[in-house]
Structures are given as structure tokens and as C-alpha cells.
Amino acid sequence: MSPTLHANLLSVFGWVIRGSFMAGILVLLVLIVQLLLKNKLEARWKYLIWLPVAIRLLLPWAPESSLSLYNVFSLEALAPGIHQKTQDPAEWKEAGRVGEAAVEKERYFKPETSGTSGKAVLSDEAGTVQTHGIWWNQIKQLGFTNGLMLVWLAGVLFFAAKTVYDQIRLKLALRAGRSIDTPFLSAVFQDMKQLFGIKRKVRFVASEQIPGPAVVGFREPAIVIAPSLLVTLQKDQLQYILAHEFSHIQRRDVAVNWMMHIILILHWFNPLIWLAARKARQAQEMACDACALDRMRPQQKNAYGQTIIHVLEHLSVSHYQPGLAGLSATHKEMKRRLIMIKQFNKKSYRLSILGLGMILALGSVTLVNAKESGAESPSQKPSVQSQQNAKAAVDKEDDIVYPEGNIDRELYKKELEKARKKAEEAAKALTPEEKKYIEDETNRVKELSKKTGDMYVLYHKYKDLNSGLDLSYLGGLEEFSTYEDYLKKASALEGSILKQPANLPEGYKFSKARIEGPTEGKFVDEVRAEGKKSGKPIYAKKIDWKEAATIRLEYTNGKNTLALSKYTLDSEGSKKQGFFEDDFPAQIYPKYVFWHEGGFEYSISTTWDLSKEKKIEILKAAVKK
């Protein structure tokens, strides 16, 4: 192997080591953020928050910034030898030049061992001497780093070979499967494909050799289901499974999995990267559940969750392979997924300011490199006064109000500029009068809602200006941190409310509460009709709701949680009356007990094992009619 090839390999190895170190810190940071925001991040954003880790690992270069987290945690501080030798490939080239110079000297000035003449001769073993001379000097110069690089390269080749082998087996298994073309199954398949707006050609295949249901391939995807599972499914269960798999196709998850697998091959030595990949795959499944639920009716959530359990009980192995995305989970993951399914709200699948903000915040401190210390003379450094003046000028520029704390102001300004441009593009079709009316009316209603606490529904004639939605809501959602504040608001409402039960388990105290106004009902159609009739670009109507659509109380002892809820039922949900438990397996928590009465669903859930009888007693004591 030539010194030039070795230098190139060392350069790549140095990039991998530095990237793996920085990404490892970022993985820990993401895990901490997820722990702190445990129930505040929606499923899709729990998945997308891993995006900065992938970007960090794939970045060939990054700008320097004083805000970089790696100014505090640096590879140079922990392992200066590795950092120095992998930072600049010229270190390797210099070693090669030293070795070559020593060999040239030995080659042309080697005396005869059997004579007395000092005549210089060429050695017959010059080639051998040259080779050993170069390698010996290189090993002496870079022995430890060179050894690490060879171990890393061996691991990369091993995992790459294993990947090729696994993909060959997967392709052979797919080829051995048979296409599903029966009229009934094909009709269900095409209906779900149309629901998700998939235009690409997608095959529907039955195979026992692939642990389906799963999506195989990303250029020409195929949805694979085992025949033994297929015969156990009812029509609605098949629809739910296909909804999950088409979510994988729509979100290009197989391509994402390939990217993650390539990262794992390069960073096979870093357990934090393996952990991140496993967590990302788990979050991917939950994000697909959310994507599928976003296209279903709220009352279908329970049936979807039961189908997930049915499928996962049928599976005997997990199938994390790069060319495959499927409906898989361990028992612990299944618990988290079922909790998410129970609590899923269609609004939560859309834009999340918290999720987007966390990704931008993580990116601003981890996708930039540490600021290298320069060799400027004191005269070259700006004075403290000039720095303050510059900061004041930036603060004042364009009247931008920057968030508090250490943020990348240039990045923040660029993001604001992007948002402005998008808004301007969408507003080009508006007349000046319409623009002014929308702005004035929106501000007026915001102030009214803020001042009075009333709930308003806004009809948007140009829904493209409102993220594609023709309706939006202001107010109607209140959260409480004390039971007294909650009870003051709840007592003024009509209909049943939830109160603090006198028979709470010992040690449990009030944690938080939420009251929500209605977002469905006859008034929705009325607002649309009135808005269209008015001809105005935006139409606002106050909603005088007297009875809460949703109420939720939470109690905790610091370890476990007990939650009480009230939810407005639709006509379908009102058919089932009385007390009943959820259909989840016994090991799944939180377990729910539901009480359907008078068009409402009351429920109690606990994160520990509590008998149904005791739950019913607490729920009865909590409902005040």
C-alpha cells in the first residue's frame, strides 16, 4: 500500500474519529432533552430530533463558532495524540518522506561486508530494504494511530461484507415470494395507496421468509406480509397494517434506514451511535403510527392499537435491516407506542414550535466546530467598547428581537428571513386591502382572546396562508398548575366536571390539569358557511361554549401517575355504554378503565397495577354531575 493511499485513509479515519466524538456528545444531549421533555414532544418530533446527529456524522466540513459546544468538550483535551495525528494528513506524509530518505541513504552507501574497499555499490536487496525501511519508520512515527486505523478498517470491511450478504438473502427471499392479486386484497391495497397519495409503483407480496409486515426496497418498494398472518386479519386490521406500511413509503424510511446503516458501518466502534440508531428506529415506528393515525378517525385509535398488538404477537424476531422498514417492537417499545396511540391528537402531528425550536437549538451549538485559537496580536483584537458597540448595532438592526441566552444570531436572522420570504410568496395574490384586513382582524381577535379569555374560530378564505387549513382556533385551552385554580374555572362550567376524588391512593398529590373547549360540532359548519358568505379574507366568530369538550387531571407520588379524563364522544363512540377496560395485554401500562355515559367518556389510567374495581371507585368519586 502506497504512502499516498495510507495518507488518504488516515484522513478519512481522522474525520470519522472527530465526527464520532462530536456526535457522541450530541447523542447524550438528545437523550437528556428527550428525558426532560418526556411527554411534551410529539411522536414525529421525537424522531426528527435525531436529525442533527445524522447531519453531524455526515458533515465533511463545518464552520467554526464561539457558540459551539465543542469549545467546552473537545477531542484535543481528551486525546491530544490522536487529535494531532488525525487532524492533518501531512503528519503521515512527513513520516513517509523520512523513511524514504533513510532508505535512499542506505541504498547508495552500503559497503561490501566481505571487502575492504569503500566503493559504493547498489545492494541487490534495495527493493526489500526500501519497503521495510519505509514501513519501519512509518510504524515508529505513527504506530498507535496506525494500529487503530487498521482495526477500524477491518471492522468497516466486516460490516460491509455482512451487509452485502444480508441484502442478497433479502432479495432472494423477496424473489421467492408471490404477488397478492386476489380481487378483495388488491382492492383494499389500492384504497389505502390512494388514501396516502402514493403515485409510485408498489408491489403487494406474500412471503414467510421475510418477517413482515414490512416495506422492502426504496426505489421499487414492496409491502410484504406473511401468509400465516394474512389469514388471521379482518378487513379493518389489514387497512391499519397497510396504513402503517404506506406511512413508511411516504416518509422514505427505507432510504433513511440505509443512511443510518452506512453511518453505523463507519462508526461501528462507538456504542453511543448504535444506541442512537436503535432509539431513532424506535422513534421511526412511533412516527409512522402517528402518520397513520393522522389519516384515521379518532374512534379508530383503539382498534389500531389492538392490531399492532396482534401483529407483534405474531412476530418472533426483530428485523432491523437497512433495506427494510416494518412494524416491529419489543415489549417495552410496544408499551410506549400504545400510550402514544391512546393519547394521539391530530393537531399534534402538525408543526410543533417546541420540536422545531429544539432541533434549531441543538443544531446551532453542535453542527458548528470549535473556534480555533488564533495568533492575533493584542493590537488586532477589537476593544471591549467596540465589541459592545457592534453588539448594540446588531441588536438594533432591522428591529429584530433576539431570544435571551447564547444563540447563533446570524442563524436566527437567516431563519427569520426565510420565514418572511415564504410569507411574501404566499401573499402575492392578495390585494393591499386584503392584506391589511387580515393583519388588523387577526391582531384584533388575538387581543380580544387574550384580554377576555374567550374562544374564537377563524375562517381563512385563503387557506394557503394558514398552513393549508381553512379554520384556526384562538383560546379555548387552559392549563392549571394548582387544583384551586382548576376548580374555580371548572365550577363555572355546565355539565359534568372532574373533581379531586376523596379516595385517592395514599401519597398522591395534584400535578396538573387541562380544560379544552370544543373544536368539533355544528358551529364548525356554521363558521364555514358564514365565512364563505361574508366574502372576507378572514372571518372570526366567538364561540360561547359552556361545557368542556375535554378535561384531564393528573396526580403523582413522584414515581407513578394517575390520570382522570373526560372526553366528548361522537355518535360511534356513544354506542358502547357502562364500564369497561381496554383490550391491551396485562403487562401494558398505563391500563385504562372507561365509563361511557351521557355522550361522554370518562377514564382513569394508572402507571402501576391497580384493580379494575378500585379504579371504578376512584372514577365514580371523581365525576361530579
Side-chain angles (χ1 to χ4, degrees):
M1 186 181 298
S2 69
T4 302
L5 179 57
H6 245 115
N8 291 333
L9 274 175
L10 188 71
S11 180
V12 173
F13 178 57
W15 169 68
V16 169
I17 290 293
R18 293 190 300 274
S20 198
F21 173 81
M22 291 187 281
I25 294 174
L26 180 51
V27 169
L28 294 175
L29 191 59
V30 170
L31 292 173
I32 292 171
V33 168
Q34 288 188 331
L35 184 64
L36 294 176
L37 302 177
K38 200 170 187 180
N39 300 317
K40 295 181 181 179
L41 278 179
E42 296 82 13
R44 181 173 65 160
W45 293 96
K46 285 181 179 178
Y47 178 44
L48 290 176
I49 201 171
W50 290 105
L51 183 62
V53 178
I55 294 175
R56 178 72 263 182
L57 289 166
L58 295 172
L59 272 180
W61 172 87
E64 296 175 2
S65 172
S66 57
L67 298 178
S68 174
L69 187 66
Y70 311 116
N71 287 309
V72 180
F73 304 99
S74 66
L75 179 61
E76 186 175 10
L78 296 178
I82 293 178
H83 176 82
Q84 183 180 3
K85 289 183 172 66
T86 59
Q87 184 73 26
D88 188 0
E91 189 80 21
W92 175 265
K93 295 176 183 177
E94 180 62 27
R97 285 195 294 269
V98 171
E100 289 173 357
V103 168
E104 288 301 310
K105 182 177 180 180
E106 185 175 2
R107 178 181 180 186
Y108 287 102
F109 296 95
K110 181 178 179 182
E112 293 282 343
T113 57
S114 58
T116 57
S117 171
K119 180 181 178 182
V121 296
L122 289 176
S123 169
D124 293 334
E125 300 177 356
T128 306
V129 173
Q130 180 182 14
T131 302
H132 288 294
I134 292 173
W135 279 94
W136 176 245
N137 279 279
Q138 289 168 348
I139 290 171
K140 284 194 296 182
Q141 291 278 334
L142 297 169
F144 179 67
T145 304
N146 188 46
L148 287 180
M149 183 185 69
L150 292 176
V151 172
W152 165 77
L153 185 59
V156 170
L157 294 175
F158 170 79
F159 283 105
K162 185 179 183 300
T163 300
V164 172
Y165 174 74
D166 289 342
Q167 288 308 298
I168 290 174
R169 291 186 60 190
L170 186 63
K171 284 192 175 182
L172 291 174
L174 183 62
R175 193 176 299 170
R178 58 182 179 83
S179 296
I180 300 175
D181 53 7
T182 59
F184 171 74
L185 295 177
S186 295
V188 175
F189 182 85
Q190 293 300 326
D191 287 343
M192 296 308 297
K193 181 180 178 183
Q194 186 175 2
L195 176 65
F196 278 81
I198 305 295
K199 304 297 183 183
R200 306 159 64 193
K201 182 181 177 182
V202 182
R203 295 170 58 202
F204 193 18
V205 177
S207 174
E208 287 288 359
Q209 297 182 37
I210 298 175
V215 175
V216 180
F218 64 93
R219 284 187 298 181
E220 297 179 358
I223 295 179
V224 182
I225 298 181
S228 57
L229 172 63
L230 199 57
V231 297
T232 68
L233 299 176
Q234 299 176 2
K235 179 182 177 181
D236 58 340
Q237 290 178 315
L238 178 60
Q239 289 175 331
Y240 299 148
I241 291 172
L242 290 175
H244 184 94
E245 302 309 322
F246 276 119
S247 296
H248 277 303
I249 293 175
Q250 187 182 63
R251 294 161 54 83
R252 311 278 179 172
D253 282 339
V254 175
V256 172
N257 291 346
W258 265 113
M259 180 190 69
M260 286 196 291
H261 190 74
I262 291 170
I263 288 173
L264 282 177
I265 290 176
L266 292 174
H267 299 267
W268 61 266
F269 55 89
N270 191 337
L272 288 174
I273 305 303
W274 286 91
L275 175 64
R278 184 165 65 86
K279 293 286 187 182
R281 289 293 292 261
Q282 293 171 5
Q284 182 186 94
E285 290 300 310
M286 292 182 68
C288 277
D289 288 334
C291 181
L293 290 169
D294 192 55
R295 286 163 175 77
M296 297 179 191
R297 297 188 302 274
Q299 57 268 29
Q300 292 178 299
K301 289 191 297 185
N302 287 348
Y304 180 87
Q306 292 166 11
T307 302
I308 295 290
I309 296 172
H310 175 75
V311 173
L312 295 179
E313 287 176 343
H314 185 273
L315 294 175
S316 59
V317 294
S318 184
H319 48 266
Y320 281 176
Q321 294 186 30
L324 184 147
L327 204 157
S328 61
T330 63
H331 287 292
K332 190 176 290 186
E333 295 168 34
M334 183 165 65
K335 173 186 172 181
R336 287 194 289 265
R337 288 174 67 178
L338 293 176
I339 292 172
M340 186 282 294
I341 291 169
K342 275 284 186 184
Q343 298 176 346
F344 179 80
N345 186 320
K346 286 196 174 188
K347 292 179 184 178
S348 69
Y349 189 68
R350 296 179 172 86
L351 179 65
S352 167
I353 301 300
L354 177 61
L356 185 60
M358 288 310 306
I359 291 176
L360 289 176
L362 286 172
S364 65
V365 297
T366 60
L367 299 183
V368 287
N369 290 341
K371 192 79 172 176
E372 294 290 339
S373 57
E376 292 179 340
S377 64
S379 60
Q380 291 176 309
K381 296 181 180 179
S383 65
V384 174
Q385 183 61 47
S386 63
Q387 289 179 354
Q388 292 176 348
N389 292 340
K391 182 177 181 296
V394 172
D395 288 347
K396 190 175 180 181
E397 185 181 358
D398 298 331
D399 294 327
I400 296 175
V401 179
Y402 292 96
E404 294 182 1
N406 293 325
I407 65 162
D408 189 332
R409 296 196 168 202
E410 282 302 316
L411 178 61
Y412 185 84
K413 185 178 178 182
K414 287 178 182 177
E415 292 301 320
L416 284 180
E417 188 60 30
K418 286 180 183 178
R420 286 198 197 101
K421 286 181 179 179
K422 287 182 180 179
E424 289 169 2
E425 195 66 29
K428 282 183 179 178
L430 300 179
T431 64
E433 292 77 14
E434 286 177 322
K435 291 180 183 178
K436 189 174 187 311
Y437 185 85
I438 291 173
E439 183 180 355
D440 292 346
E441 184 67 1
T442 302
N443 289 335
R444 182 185 72 85
V445 177
K446 280 182 179 179
E447 287 298 321
L448 272 175
S449 178
K450 187 177 179 181
K451 188 181 296 184
T452 63
D454 293 330
M455 179 178 176
Y456 288 85
V457 183
L458 279 72
Y459 170 79
H460 301 266
K461 181 179 179 181
Y462 306 108
K463 60 182 182 180
D464 287 342
L465 296 173
N466 187 47
S467 302
L469 301 174
D470 63 344
L471 294 180
S472 61
Y473 299 82
L474 288 173
L477 170 62
E478 294 187 60
E479 296 184 338
F480 307 90
S481 57
T482 67
Y483 178 73
E484 290 72 21
D485 290 341
Y486 157 76
L487 192 60
K488 182 178 180 182
K489 174 65 178 180
S491 300
L493 298 173
E494 296 178 357
S496 62
I497 62 170
L498 297 176
K499 64 177 182 178
Q500 185 162 293
N503 54 352
L504 272 174
E506 186 178 353
Y508 279 78
K509 296 181 180 180
F510 177 86
S511 173
K512 57 184 176 181
R514 184 175 74 244
I515 297 177
E516 295 182 29
T519 57
E520 295 179 357
K522 291 183 179 179
F523 73 90
V524 171
D525 295 329
E526 292 173 359
V527 171
R528 283 197 175 104
E530 292 172 12
K532 291 176 182 177
K533 187 177 179 180
S534 71
K536 297 175 182 177
I538 189 169
Y539 174 81
K541 183 174 182 177
K542 177 183 172 184
I543 302 301
D544 293 318
W545 56 282
K546 303 297 183 182
E547 188 168 5
T550 303
I551 295 177
R552 180 176 176 85
L553 300 180
E554 287 189 17
Y555 294 85
T556 182
N557 65 352
K559 180 181 178 182
N560 289 309
T561 301
L562 182 150
L564 301 162
S565 299
K566 170 190 174 181
Y567 177 75
T568 304
L569 290 170
D570 54 21
S571 57
E572 187 70 25
S574 299
K575 293 179 182 178
K576 194 171 184 178
Q577 297 294 313
F579 293 93
F580 55 93
E581 283 187 299
D582 58 49
D583 298 326
F584 297 159
Q587 71 269 21
I588 301 299
Y589 298 115
K591 292 288 293 179
Y592 282 81
V593 168
F594 299 103
W595 180 16
H596 285 193
E597 186 177 79
F600 292 97
E601 175 185 89
Y602 306 98
S603 71
I604 176 173
S605 65
T606 59
T607 55
W608 79 98
D609 195 5
L610 189 66
S611 68
K612 178 182 178 182
E613 293 72 22
K614 183 63 177 177
K615 287 180 180 177
I616 290 177
E617 290 177 9
I618 296 173
L619 188 56
K620 282 183 176 179
V623 177
K624 180 180 179 182
K625 299 182 180 179

